[in-house]
Amino acid sequence: MSLDELRDDITVSQKKGLPFIITSVIIWLLIAVVTLLKLPVMTRNLLVFCCSCPLMPIAWLVGKAIKVDIFSKENPLGKLGFLFTLNQLIYLLIVMWAFREAPDKMVMIYAMIFGAHLLPYSWLYKSKAYIITAIVIPLISLVLEYLANTTILALTVMVIEIIFSVLLLVELRKKTR
């Protein structure tokens, strides 16, 4: 298979990463709920980190529901997609720094890193929706940090992820016609 054929295959077989994007809607809802808790900011921030813990099991369940094997090894580009994900883990060190040094800004930084990490997937899945979302989330996160509260920020990221999911479905339908 050529590189383009591999990209087309992974785009369809992994449904443009929809299990993870749908799961991120749930995670950002959980983060929004945590931001509403009347707890010290450090405790809330620790709980925000915990909100990401169920990512893999929920993505696996969502994948099962929409018939995607998120652990498929059939396409070698799956390893590249995994590498893109590991990139975000490295950037989480910045979020950990913010946890201590700028706790009131931690959720914004987390949102910016989350959004930005989507950019390489635009190439993998040949997706304009990934490019737009990867740019919009960090920019909106920065603006909302100054204009609104953390709950509004988390809910906005959640809504963007819902819209993003719909855009990916539209792209997929065009691809599979």
Side-chain angles (χ1 to χ4, degrees):
M1 263 191 202
S2 72
L3 182 57
D4 268 350
E5 289 170 330
L6 287 170
R7 288 172 65 201
D8 288 341
D9 176 70
I10 201 165
T11 294
V12 173
S13 69
Q14 293 300 307
K15 294 189 178 173
K16 292 195 175 215
L18 269 171
F20 292 96
I21 303 306
I22 292 168
T23 300
S24 71
V25 171
I26 297 165
I27 288 171
W28 281 101
L29 175 61
L30 291 172
I31 290 171
V33 169
V34 166
T35 65
L36 290 169
L37 299 174
K38 301 293 180 208
L39 295 170
V41 69
M42 298 297 263
T43 304
R44 281 194 320 267
N45 284 348
L46 185 59
L47 291 173
V48 164
F49 275 122
C50 293
C51 289
S52 294
C53 291
L55 172 71
M56 291 305 288
I58 295 172
W60 179 77
L61 288 171
V62 171
K64 284 282 188 199
I66 65 173
K67 297 176 179 43
V68 172
D69 178 5
I70 66 168
F71 299 112
S72 175
K73 293 182 179 19
E74 290 180 25
N75 188 316
L77 291 181
K79 291 178 183 177
L80 182 61
F82 183 67
L83 184 63
F84 293 164
T85 300
L86 290 179
N87 201 28
Q88 183 183 18
L89 294 176
I90 295 167
Y91 294 140
L92 283 177
L93 294 172
I94 299 166
V95 180
M96 290 177 186
W97 171 86
F99 179 86
R100 178 168 157 67
E101 299 300 324
D104 291 338
K105 307 293 183 215
M106 192 196 89
V107 173
M108 175 200 66
I109 293 168
Y110 188 62
M112 294 172 99
I113 289 170
F114 165 76
H117 106 281
L118 298 171
L119 189 60
Y121 293 100
S122 67
W123 178 85
L124 183 64
Y125 297 132
K126 299 180 180 180
S127 171
K128 290 181 182 173
Y130 269 96
I131 292 171
I132 293 165
T133 305
I135 294 168
V136 165
I137 289 176
L139 289 175
I140 286 181
S141 298
L142 181 63
V143 170
L144 287 179
E145 177 61 32
Y146 294 101
L147 298 179
N149 63 39
T150 307
T151 303
I152 298 297
L153 169 60
L155 289 172
T156 301
V157 173
M158 183 191 77
V159 169
I160 292 169
E161 288 298 292
I162 292 169
I163 295 166
F164 181 33
S165 297
V166 172
L167 291 173
L168 289 176
L169 284 170
V170 169
E171 286 183 353
L172 259 175
R173 286 202 179 108
K174 287 179 183 176
K175 181 79 179 160
T176 56
R177 281 186 189 168

